[in-house]
Amino acid sequence: VNFIINEPDGFTVGEYDTHPVVYVTWYGANAFALHYGMRLPTEYEWEKTARGNTGNNYPWGNSITGANANYNGSGDPWELGTTPIGYYDGINAGTTNSPSPYGAYDMAGNVWEWTDSWYNSSYRVLRGGGWNNNTNNLQSWNRNNNNPNNTNNNNGFRCSNTHTIRMCKRDFTEYIFLSPDFFLLLTAKMNKQKPVSNENESWFLTRRYIPLS
């Protein structure tokens, strides 16, 4: 799977290596995920990872400022485009640490993310809102849709992985869980994919679980 990244005028080559890929169709996103043994999340998995059981409008709460996410008028250094993945971590100047309840970053703003769910018989669902949208579009429950053949300067994607683990009750029963530790937001450099959580794989065995049903 190959992508061509065009740096905007005024930026040096390589400066966008940690930004999400845009102008990708649903088919391109799906092909990348399958190639690396992953898949696109359903919109239900996506929303669960974005706000858990909190009922909040945004991954971190019910209010939003330019310190939380990249949206139209947020005032970030890349005001007319995407921000680096995980930029809103409270470490970068002017940001507040803004992960979801499960530690996933950029679940609001930056790019709309293709999901595996159908909006209707012809269109696929996107979630999350983009860098050129208003804050209402960034709410975790908000749905968008597009033809899977279309591309856009604010459409990207995130991959998920399904893990089967065994939990001992009276006997061994098999459960399927989605681990946000394995959510990836595709970056321009294919060999520099950045996990949204820097914790190791044991995290999903010892911490919170997200049932698929």
Side-chain angles (χ1 to χ4, degrees), residues 10 15 48 75 81 89 95-96 99 101 105 115 128 171 196:
E15 193 165 348
K48 180 72 172 184
D89 58 2
T95 69
T96 298
Y105 284 86
T115 73
D171 54 5
V196 296

Side-chain angles (χ1 to χ4, degrees), residues 7-210:
E7 276 80 9
D9 292 339
F11 291 88
T12 58
V13 174
E15 193 165 348
Y16 271 61
D17 285 356
T18 58
H19 287 240
V21 162
V22 293
Y23 288 112
V24 57
T25 66
W26 180 90
Y27 294 104
N30 189 58
F32 176 90
L34 294 177
H35 179 78
Y36 287 97
M38 298 180 287
R39 59 183 176 80
L40 297 180
T42 68
E43 65 170 318
Y44 310 107
E45 293 170 341
W46 190 99
E47 185 172 335
K48 180 72 172 184
T49 303
R51 62 175 180 167
N53 294 323
T54 66
N56 291 334
N57 288 327
Y58 301 100
W60 53 83
N62 286 313
S63 61
I64 184 172
T65 72
N68 300 121
N70 181 9
Y71 55 87
N72 186 28
S74 59
D76 61 85
W78 299 267
E79 183 58 23
L80 298 179
T82 58
T83 47
I85 295 166
Y87 180 74
Y88 296 90
D89 58 2
I91 299 173
N92 291 304
T95 69
T96 298
N97 193 31
S98 304
S100 78
Y102 297 104
Y105 284 86
D106 301 312
M107 300 295 290
N110 215 16
V111 294
W112 288 99
E113 299 175 10
W114 288 111
T115 73
D116 195 46
S117 298
W118 289 98
Y119 186 83
N120 56 31
S121 60
S122 301
Y123 282 44
R124 290 282 186 175
V125 174
L126 297 101
R127 291 295 199 106
W131 58 267
N132 54 356
N133 294 126
N134 62 41
T135 55
N136 287 335
N137 291 123
L138 274 61
Q139 296 181 103
S140 299
W141 45 263
N142 187 52
R143 305 174 75 215
N144 193 8
N145 64 89
N146 204 340
N147 186 307
N149 288 299
N150 287 349
T151 66
N152 200 296
N153 64 0
N154 65 353
N155 285 4
F157 68 98
R158 184 181 298 254
C159 298
S160 66
N161 209 339
T162 301
H163 294 268
T164 302
I165 65 174
R166 293 185 180 275
M167 300 176 65
C168 185
K169 291 188 176 180
R170 292 184 178 178
D171 54 5
F172 283 102
T173 307
E174 196 167 71
Y175 297 86
I176 304 294
F177 294 93
L178 175 71
S179 167
D181 193 43
F182 290 90
F183 261 80
L184 305 173
L185 192 59
L186 181 63
T187 65
K189 287 287 188 181
M190 294 302 113
N191 61 347
K192 291 184 178 179
Q193 298 166 32
K194 179 182 178 183
V196 296
S197 169
N198 59 10
E199 298 179 69
N200 61 33
E201 185 171 346
S202 64
W203 180 87
F204 100 97
L205 294 174
T206 59
R207 295 280 291 282
R208 293 162 296 222
Y209 302 114
I210 309 179

